[in-house]
Amino acid sequence: MSQSTEAQRVAPAPPPQPAQPIDLGWVQHLMDEEFNARDWREANELALLALMEIQEHWGYCSEDAAAVVADHLGIELQRVYALLTFYGDLRTTPRADNVYIACDGAACNVLGSGQLVERLFDRLGIIRKGQTSPDGKVTMEIFSGCMGACQIGPMATVNGKAYGNLTPEKVDQIVNELLK
Amino acid sequence: MADRSPFDQLHARATAAWDALQSSDKTVITVNVHGGSLPVGAEDIYKNLVFLTETRQIPAIVRQTGSLGFEFAETIVQVKRPNEPTIVYGHIGEDEVIELIERAVEGDGVWAEKALGWLEPQGLVVEPPLTLEQSADAAGLEDYKGIPPLKRHPYLRRQTRWLSRRWGRIDPESIEEYIAEGGYQGFVKALTEMTPDQVIEEVKKTNIRGRGGAGFQMGIKWESGRKSRNNQKYVICNGHEGEPNVFKDRRTFESDPHVVLEGIMIGCVAISATVGYAFIGGEFPLGIKRFKQAVKAAERAGLLGKNILGTGIDLEVRVRIGGGAYISGEGSALIYSVQGDRPQPRTKPPRSVEYGLWGKPTVVNNVETLANAPDIVMRGGEWFHAIGPDHSTGTKLVTIAGPVEYTGVSEIVMDMSIHDLIYEVHGGMRRGSEFKGFQTGGVSGGCLPADQLHFKVDFEDMNGVGGMLGSAGFIVLDHHTTAVEWARYLMKFNADESCGKCTPCRLGCPAMTEILDRVRFGTGHESDLDLINYTGKQIIEISLCGLGQAAPAPILSLVQNYRDDFLSYIRDKRNPATGQALEGAADLVVLTRGTHRVIDDPYRIGREAQRAPQILPGREIGSEETNRKGDIGDADPRRAAQPQDDALLRRP
Ligand SMILES: Cc1cc2nc3c(=O)[nH]c(=O)nc-3n(C[C@H](O)[C@H](O)[C@H](O)COP(=O)(O)O)c2cc1C
Ligand code: SF4
Ligand code: FES
């Protein structure tokens, strides 16, 4: 491990770059169209679904968008924030353009994904899952469930495309490509 | 007035269409599209087949289906030419579609190298407890044009396909095909011919135990649900499945969503609930999509909604999506999650059948448990009870992950030994892998070494040695994995997924991870093994919910069964799998999460571990020599430099 990568690792990752902010009008429209609760119970039940839907479309779900959700459903803002900050899938900041999702499910782990993850952390200069590399190019996620393709484990998806039977060399290749 | 004629008409129409498809004079090409084949290009293959058959004007019907359970051979394409049996082809790559058309659809229609076997018209179904091979023998199946029957495939021979009999056969997005294959008969029977008490009586006779992990008797749960008096009750189907190695529920949603829906509906009828919920993990978009479609189709067919079939019974099924937190699979946390609260478990009693969703009686059952309900209603409790041993009735979907030859979802009668499951169903270890251990119960059971494989895969047999069935997701470890690495992986998973509500689990799991990290990087002491035992037992004893109560169990069993691995790390500072010397603890501060803990012994030692990288006298953090050669274990913690970056020590 060279001096420089070590220095990179210890440095805190810079804040992700401001990406396209979420269009709150769009969110309001979505809420009007699809999330109309019949009673307060349903209003509470729909909050998580609405947040997921926003994230599905924009890649993340900001606090402002959460405020629109709370407002529309008529529930307290802190209840929506509580969900936003608890669930592993929900992000309040956008990802980089490239997203590397490493599967670290049990099968992939047994087949060696643990080492690959550590190697990727090194290469990208990050220290924790969900972080974006210092140059803002790649966001790395670790998926600790199973991505459903154990037969080609260890596997990862990069920008939605699956790569299987990964080896350190293959991972290096992919990362070189992404960081280019 | 109950009137089942609308359903019967639908059934007649659906059966006619299904028969027409079976005897079609066009070639029927079926692509298995599901979560396990999408990553290897099934969608592309499907689109390409549609395109090619159109442009080449081949008379063919191209359709989609779910999984056959053959994950290792994806993508699978089934080709049925007129007046010939279906031939199942495996390992079809994205770029092999043209070859597939030329060799399997046109010409003499057999592509022998890729063929897995041929299928009879009724598909992979066998009356349990018979196995598929026994049924093939009974029917005297022979090779067809040199291709063996699929039922004799080494992966299927010892399996029993019953619950999964429609998988990879019907189009999961078509309610008609499900109805043509006997679907919704159970629901209609429960609705029009039986009283709720009779339904529960049948379920109780089966002795069926919950498939979600705890193994609680379904009949007893339903009966208490029936008995609790309230104007509103709920049934929730627990389809969260957040464990890192199980995908049977997901495949059920993707391959046969209607059977789950029918199970929920029967549950609602039995306990007189008018609203059922399906809670599905957000990680499986295809399963969500197909299940939502199933609900819509059932509404259109008049099986959901108001005054169903004139019985005066109303029924609604709602779909709720999880947000990627393993803990929201736990019964009470699941209910909070549906309610839009943070999914944090609560103390029981009251159990959810007394006080559940919105304070109303709620029956929570696993996907697979509910999927058994239609057959129980149709065939009766005694029929079900006769399958398998008394304490573990019925068939069980099993997933095995790791370096075995055949990965996928298999279905067995719970009377098989672990050894047979690995070697005779899942094909044994891959080439170049030696068996090392068998992790039971997902992330919560013990890890069994080679001399304990004679135990049976059921709810009772392996409990004595620390194993458990759990959700029947098992992992096979090979000699490349060391017990220490594996223990650390499991502990880290639980530490990450701990909901943080109770102290022993919130602090204990990261503390155990730190101890294991210390061992892993070569700075452990032999006393750490006792420390693991001591801390682990404390966490098990005083945690609030099943996560904390089970999290240390696999670690304790690993320390007990694979002590040599741990000692090799601690004494020889060597990784026993690779033989390499350990690199030192350079990464420790990065990989573990510092928390403020000063109280008890294990915690204090955890803190020292956290500082380990900084404690070398006179050297800077992260310099190359420090990382590689430093004799870190003996350094004096009092001379530790302060961590440079406070941010690293904060909890993420
Ligand atoms: C941490 C934890 C996670 C769980 N995850 C699931 C799950 O993903 N799916 C599931 O069906 N049951 C899960 N369970 C078990 C449920 O608490 C509950 O026992 C089960 O849903 C009841 O259904 P059954 O009786 O049909 O098995 C989990 C339990 C614990 C403690
Ligand atoms: S044991 Fe763990 S997961 Fe369960 S309530 Fe306590 S902190 Fe939460
Ligand atoms: S564990 Fe990685 S795909 Fe299943």
Side-chain angles (χ1 to χ4, degrees):
Chain A
M1 201 182 297
S2 74
Q3 190 87 42
S4 63
T5 49
E6 189 62 26
Q8 261 179 17
R9 297 185 68 141
V10 180
Q17 288 153 16
Q20 203 187 357
I22 296 181
D23 177 358
L24 298 183
W26 183 93
V27 176
Q28 188 62 53
H29 184 70
L30 172 82
M31 299 303 293
D32 290 340
E33 289 285 303
E34 288 186 27
F35 293 96
N36 293 309
R38 284 168 287 184
D39 54 16
W40 67 275
R41 286 184 179 148
E42 199 172 5
N44 280 299
E45 290 173 18
L46 290 179
L48 177 60
L49 299 183
L51 297 178
M52 300 282 285
E53 190 76 32
I54 295 168
Q55 170 157 308
E56 174 92 19
H57 192 266
W58 293 92
Y60 71 109
C61 183
S62 66
E63 275 107 0
D64 296 346
V68 177
V69 171
D71 213 33
H72 177 86
L73 293 174
I75 56 180
E76 299 91 342
L77 184 56
Q78 65 267 33
R79 283 185 68 104
V80 182
Y81 277 1
L83 303 180
L84 199 57
T85 47
F86 188 91
Y87 285 103
D89 279 4
L90 291 172
R91 295 176 292 275
T92 49
T93 47
R95 285 167 163 175
D97 292 346
N98 295 309
V99 184
Y100 189 111
I101 309 179
C103 179
D104 198 21
C108 287
N109 188 276
V110 170
L111 299 170
S113 72
Q115 284 169 7
L116 300 180
V117 165
E118 279 172 25
R119 192 180 182 90
L120 271 158
F121 276 12
D122 271 358
R123 286 294 315 270
L124 297 177
I126 58 175
I127 55 170
R128 213 177 283 135
K129 64 179 176 184
Q131 279 185 330
T132 301
S133 60
D135 56 8
K137 279 191 179 149
V138 188
T139 301
M140 162 134 181
E141 297 277 357
I142 300 178
F143 188 68
S144 55
C146 163
M147 306 237 268
C150 306
Q151 72 273 20
I152 55 167
M155 58 96 61
T157 63
V158 183
N159 301 334
K161 184 168 171 17
Y163 293 83
N165 299 323
L166 292 174
T167 56
E169 293 77 42
K170 274 199 200 169
V171 167
D172 279 349
Q173 238 179 357
I174 297 172
V175 172
N176 289 343
E177 198 66 27
L178 292 179
L179 290 179
K180 215 164 42 188
Chain B
M1 212 21 234
D3 171 21
R4 51 175 293 162
S5 59
F7 174 74
D8 290 334
Q9 283 160 15
L10 181 61
H11 180 246
R13 254 181 290 142
T15 315
W18 181 240
D19 289 345
L21 182 74
Q22 302 292 326
S23 54
S24 166
D25 54 359
K26 292 181 180 168
T27 306
V28 183
I29 308 174
T30 311
V31 187
N32 290 22
V33 181
H34 56 93
S37 65
L38 283 177
V40 291
E43 185 79 35
D44 283 10
I45 292 178
Y46 172 74
K47 286 186 184 148
N48 212 354
L49 276 168
V50 173
F51 174 82
L52 286 173
T53 48
E54 263 174 33
T55 49
R56 297 188 174 206
Q57 296 180 340
I58 299 168
I61 303 169
V62 184
R63 55 197 282 278
Q64 294 194 3
T65 176
S67 160
L68 262 177
F70 277 70
E71 257 67 351
F72 62 93
E74 295 299 350
T75 301
I76 288 180
V77 180
Q78 307 172 31
V79 179
K80 182 185 181 312
R81 310 205 314 164
N83 305 320
E84 285 184 43
T86 309
I87 299 183
V88 182
Y89 297 99
H91 303 283
I92 305 290
E94 284 167 77
D95 44 4
E96 290 173 327
V97 179
I98 295 183
E99 204 175 349
L100 177 78
I101 294 252
E102 280 166 3
R103 301 187 64 168
V105 180
E106 299 174 328
D108 63 354
V110 177
W111 188 6
E113 299 93 82
K114 293 268 180 180
L116 295 171
W118 67 269
L119 253 180
E120 303 152 276
Q122 63 269 34
L124 284 180
V125 55
V126 53
E127 194 66 28
L130 288 184
T131 62
L132 285 164
E133 186 171 48
Q134 283 163 352
S135 94
D137 287 346
L141 297 187
E142 304 208 339
D143 289 4
Y144 174 81
K145 290 192 187 172
I147 295 174
L150 191 63
K151 285 182 174 175
R152 290 193 209 273
H153 190 283
Y155 175 56
L156 288 181
R157 270 194 339 224
R158 295 271 320 256
Q159 288 192 47
T160 302
R161 288 285 167 134
W162 177 254
L163 198 59
S164 57
R165 62 189 183 275
R166 283 176 294 257
W167 293 24
R169 176 168 165 74
I170 62 165
D171 180 353
E173 302 184 8
S174 155
I175 190 172
E176 285 83 12
E177 294 190 4
Y178 177 68
I179 288 177
E181 285 282 274
Y184 289 113
Q185 299 280 6
F187 170 67
V188 174
K189 181 173 175 192
L191 195 65
T192 55
E193 292 168 31
M194 294 166 84
T195 63
D197 288 322
Q198 280 171 333
V199 175
I200 287 174
E201 200 47 46
E202 291 304 325
V203 174
K204 274 180 74 182
K205 271 190 226 158
T206 60
N207 240 2
I208 179 174
R209 297 173 66 169
R211 267 55 166 151
F216 192 77
Q217 296 249 350
M218 178 181 178
I220 295 178
K221 200 185 266 184
W222 281 26
E223 191 175 39
S224 358
R226 169 112 203 115
K227 283 194 183 137
S228 4
R229 304 231 162 273
N230 210 309
N231 56 354
Q232 179 71 58
K233 300 178 195 173
Y234 299 104
V235 172
I236 304 185
C237 165
N238 185 350
H240 185 263
E241 203 171 52
E243 270 178 14
N245 56 317
V246 193
F247 43 89
K248 65 177 176 69
D249 293 351
R250 195 177 327 184
R251 289 291 177 276
T252 314
F253 277 125
E254 288 165 356
S255 307
D256 199 2
H258 283 284
V259 76
V260 187
L261 182 59
E262 190 180 349
I264 300 176
M265 287 153 64
I266 292 175
C268 287
V269 172
I271 70 159
S272 304
T274 53
V275 184
Y277 284 87
F279 188 84
I280 315 180
E283 297 88 354
F284 352 129
L286 186 67
I288 296 170
K289 178 183 146 218
R290 288 186 171 162
F291 190 78
K292 279 187 174 164
Q293 275 181 355
V295 174
K296 290 241 168 63
E299 280 168 3
R300 255 183 276 120
L303 296 168
L304 281 176
K306 300 255 178 245
N307 190 13
I308 299 164
L309 301 179
T311 51
I313 290 177
D314 302 343
L315 211 53
E316 182 187 350
V317 172
R318 303 177 181 167
V319 182
R320 297 289 179 258
I321 314 289
Y326 168 55
I327 192 62
S328 51
E330 200 273 348
S332 58
L334 177 85
I335 287 171
Y336 285 123
S337 191
V338 173
Q339 280 176 206
D341 287 312
R342 279 188 164 193
Q344 291 178 311
R346 63 167 166 78
T347 43
K348 278 147 258 176
R351 300 209 328 271
S352 19
V353 281
E354 292 143 22
Y355 189 91
L357 187 63
W358 302 114
K360 310 287 182 189
T362 305
V363 166
V364 179
N365 269 132
N366 175 258
V367 172
E368 193 190 338
T369 323
L370 287 169
N372 276 304
D375 289 332
I376 294 174
V377 170
M378 279 315 285
R379 298 244 179 164
E382 269 134 33
W383 167 82
F384 194 93
H385 194 150
I387 309 167
D390 198 39
H391 50 72
S392 309
T393 51
T395 58
K396 184 85 196 73
L397 299 175
V398 176
T399 52
I400 289 198
V404 289
E405 197 67 45
Y406 304 135
T407 51
V409 185
S410 56
E411 181 172 352
I412 58 166
V413 176
M414 285 188 271
D415 199 18
M416 189 183 277
S417 70
I418 300 173
H419 180 276
D420 288 1
L421 181 69
I422 300 174
Y423 288 91
E424 297 198 6
V425 175
H426 287 270
M429 304 301 288
R430 275 187 209 161
R431 262 211 303 187
S433 283
E434 268 168 46
F435 178 86
K436 173 153 182 169
F438 184 72
Q439 170 69 36
T440 63
V443 291
S444 326
C447 188
L448 310 183
D451 57 0
Q452 291 179 352
L453 295 189
H454 56 276
F455 288 105
K456 296 232 162 96
V457 184
D458 66 21
F459 283 100
E460 300 282 337
D461 205 37
M462 50 187 159
N463 291 6
V465 286
M468 67 183 254
L469 184 71
S471 47
F474 302 110
I475 303 152
V476 171
L477 308 181
D478 71 353
H479 67 292
H480 296 300
T481 314
T482 67
V484 177
E485 293 283 346
W486 181 242
R488 197 266 177 190
Y489 171 78
L490 294 176
M491 207 62 230
K492 177 84 170 116
F493 177 83
N494 283 309
D496 282 354
E497 297 296 340
S498 160
C499 81
K501 180 169 181 170
C502 66
T503 320
C505 166
R506 179 181 68 236
L507 296 183
C509 292
M512 294 231 341
T513 315
E514 286 181 7
I515 302 169
L516 289 165
D517 264 335
R518 199 158 17 133
V519 173
R520 188 162 76 111
F521 286 111
T523 51
H525 301 273
E526 274 183 67
S527 62
D528 281 344
L529 298 184
D530 298 332
L531 189 59
I532 289 175
N533 274 322
Y534 172 72
T535 320
K537 285 192 181 129
Q538 274 197 341
I539 300 175
I540 291 177
E541 216 164 287
I542 49 184
S543 284
L544 191 156
C545 85
L547 189 142
Q549 286 159 9
I555 316 315
L556 300 187
S557 106
L558 281 164
V559 171
Q560 190 188 351
N561 292 338
Y562 300 92
R563 207 178 173 85
D564 287 351
D565 268 19
F566 282 82
L567 290 179
S568 159
Y569 271 88
I570 292 170
R571 286 197 191 137
D572 317 338
K573 313 264 177 250
R574 254 174 216 296
N575 178 332
T578 58
Q580 275 168 355
L582 300 175
E583 286 214 354
D587 293 335
L588 205 55
V589 74
V590 172
L591 292 168
T592 64
R593 307 192 298 182
T595 36
H596 300 287
R597 53 180 88 96
V598 276
I599 23 173
D600 206 20
D601 252 356
Y603 302 136
R604 201 171 65 241
I605 293 172
R607 258 165 80 83
E608 285 168 16
Q610 174 190 309
R611 296 218 173 141
Q614 287 103 26
I615 56 185
L616 290 173
R619 296 240 177 88
E620 269 182 15
I621 315 177
S623 84
E624 206 159 22
E625 296 145 277
T626 320
N627 297 339
R628 293 199 186 277
K629 303 192 209 107
D631 188 5
I632 295 167
D634 297 328
D636 180 358
R638 277 164 302 182
R639 293 172 68 175
Q642 280 306 308
Q644 289 189 335
D645 180 6
D646 272 353
L648 292 180
L649 295 180
R650 250 185 272 131
R651 263 181 93 111

Short mmCIF file of all heavy atoms in Angstrom, two decimals, chain B residues 327 345 497-502 505-506 543-549, ligand 2:
data_model
loop_
_atom_site.label_atom_id
_atom_site.label_comp_id
_atom_site.label_asym_id
_atom_site.label_seq_id
_atom_site.Cartn_x
_atom_site.Cartn_y
_atom_site.Cartn_z
N ILE B 327 -33.90 -5.64 9.60
CA ILE B 327 -34.71 -5.79 10.81
C ILE B 327 -36.20 -5.64 10.52
O ILE B 327 -37.03 -6.13 11.28
CB ILE B 327 -34.24 -4.76 11.89
CG1 ILE B 327 -34.84 -5.07 13.26
CG2 ILE B 327 -34.55 -3.35 11.49
CD1 ILE B 327 -34.43 -6.40 13.80
N PRO B 345 -38.18 -3.36 16.72
CA PRO B 345 -39.01 -4.35 17.40
C PRO B 345 -39.42 -3.88 18.80
O PRO B 345 -38.79 -2.98 19.37
CB PRO B 345 -38.10 -5.56 17.51
CG PRO B 345 -37.04 -5.35 16.52
CD PRO B 345 -36.86 -3.89 16.39
N GLU B 497 -26.94 -4.11 10.76
CA GLU B 497 -28.39 -4.17 10.65
C GLU B 497 -29.09 -3.99 11.99
O GLU B 497 -30.31 -3.90 12.04
CB GLU B 497 -28.82 -5.50 10.02
CG GLU B 497 -28.33 -5.70 8.61
CD GLU B 497 -28.91 -4.70 7.63
OE1 GLU B 497 -29.95 -4.10 7.93
OE2 GLU B 497 -28.32 -4.51 6.56
N SER B 498 -28.33 -3.97 13.09
CA SER B 498 -28.96 -3.75 14.39
C SER B 498 -29.74 -2.44 14.35
O SER B 498 -29.28 -1.44 13.82
CB SER B 498 -27.86 -3.65 15.45
OG SER B 498 -28.36 -3.01 16.59
N CYS B 499 -30.95 -2.46 14.90
CA CYS B 499 -31.78 -1.27 14.79
C CYS B 499 -31.39 -0.21 15.81
O CYS B 499 -31.83 0.92 15.74
CB CYS B 499 -33.25 -1.63 14.95
SG CYS B 499 -33.75 -1.82 16.65
N GLY B 500 -30.59 -0.59 16.80
CA GLY B 500 -30.12 0.39 17.75
C GLY B 500 -31.06 0.68 18.89
O GLY B 500 -30.85 1.63 19.64
N LYS B 501 -32.09 -0.14 19.06
CA LYS B 501 -33.03 0.18 20.12
C LYS B 501 -32.53 -0.26 21.49
O LYS B 501 -32.70 0.45 22.47
CB LYS B 501 -34.37 -0.50 19.83
CG LYS B 501 -35.43 -0.23 20.88
CD LYS B 501 -36.79 -0.70 20.39
CE LYS B 501 -37.85 -0.43 21.41
NZ LYS B 501 -39.19 -0.66 20.87
N CYS B 502 -31.91 -1.43 21.56
CA CYS B 502 -31.47 -1.88 22.88
C CYS B 502 -29.94 -1.94 22.94
O CYS B 502 -29.26 -2.27 21.97
CB CYS B 502 -32.11 -3.20 23.25
SG CYS B 502 -31.60 -4.58 22.24
N CYS B 505 -27.31 -5.13 22.04
CA CYS B 505 -27.10 -5.42 20.62
C CYS B 505 -26.42 -4.25 19.93
O CYS B 505 -25.50 -4.43 19.15
CB CYS B 505 -28.43 -5.77 19.99
SG CYS B 505 -28.48 -5.79 18.22
N ARG B 506 -26.85 -3.04 20.25
CA ARG B 506 -26.28 -1.87 19.57
C ARG B 506 -24.79 -1.75 19.84
O ARG B 506 -24.00 -1.44 18.95
CB ARG B 506 -27.00 -0.61 20.04
CG ARG B 506 -26.46 0.65 19.39
CD ARG B 506 -27.18 1.89 19.88
NE ARG B 506 -26.93 2.19 21.27
CZ ARG B 506 -27.88 2.33 22.19
NH1 ARG B 506 -29.15 2.21 21.87
NH2 ARG B 506 -27.58 2.61 23.43
N SER B 543 -30.55 -9.25 24.92
CA SER B 543 -31.08 -8.46 23.81
C SER B 543 -32.59 -8.56 23.74
O SER B 543 -33.19 -9.50 24.24
CB SER B 543 -30.50 -8.94 22.48
OG SER B 543 -29.18 -8.50 22.35
N LEU B 544 -33.16 -7.59 23.06
CA LEU B 544 -34.61 -7.49 23.04
C LEU B 544 -35.24 -8.40 22.00
O LEU B 544 -36.25 -9.02 22.25
CB LEU B 544 -34.97 -6.02 22.78
CG LEU B 544 -36.40 -5.57 22.95
CD1 LEU B 544 -36.40 -4.07 23.23
CD2 LEU B 544 -37.26 -5.84 21.75
N CYS B 545 -34.68 -8.45 20.81
CA CYS B 545 -35.38 -9.19 19.76
C CYS B 545 -34.50 -10.29 19.18
O CYS B 545 -33.36 -10.47 19.57
CB CYS B 545 -35.82 -8.24 18.64
SG CYS B 545 -34.56 -7.94 17.43
N GLY B 546 -35.07 -11.00 18.22
CA GLY B 546 -34.40 -12.15 17.63
C GLY B 546 -33.07 -11.83 17.00
O GLY B 546 -32.20 -12.70 16.91
N LEU B 547 -32.87 -10.60 16.53
CA LEU B 547 -31.60 -10.31 15.88
C LEU B 547 -30.46 -10.39 16.88
O LEU B 547 -29.49 -11.11 16.69
CB LEU B 547 -31.64 -8.93 15.23
CG LEU B 547 -30.44 -8.61 14.33
CD1 LEU B 547 -30.86 -7.83 13.12
CD2 LEU B 547 -29.35 -7.86 15.05
N GLY B 548 -30.60 -9.67 17.98
CA GLY B 548 -29.54 -9.69 18.99
C GLY B 548 -29.42 -11.05 19.65
O GLY B 548 -28.33 -11.52 19.96
N GLN B 549 -30.58 -11.71 19.82
CA GLN B 549 -30.55 -13.00 20.51
C GLN B 549 -29.88 -14.07 19.66
O GLN B 549 -29.46 -15.09 20.19
CB GLN B 549 -31.98 -13.44 20.85
CG GLN B 549 -32.57 -12.65 22.00
CD GLN B 549 -34.08 -12.70 22.02
OE1 GLN B 549 -34.69 -13.45 21.26
NE2 GLN B 549 -34.69 -11.90 22.86
S1 SF4 C 2 -31.68 -6.82 19.62
FE1 SF4 C 2 -30.76 -5.40 18.13
S2 SF4 C 2 -32.21 -5.33 16.45
FE2 SF4 C 2 -33.30 -6.21 18.20
S3 SF4 C 2 -34.27 -4.48 19.21
FE3 SF4 C 2 -32.28 -4.73 20.15
S4 SF4 C 2 -30.95 -3.33 18.99
FE4 SF4 C 2 -32.77 -3.65 17.78
#
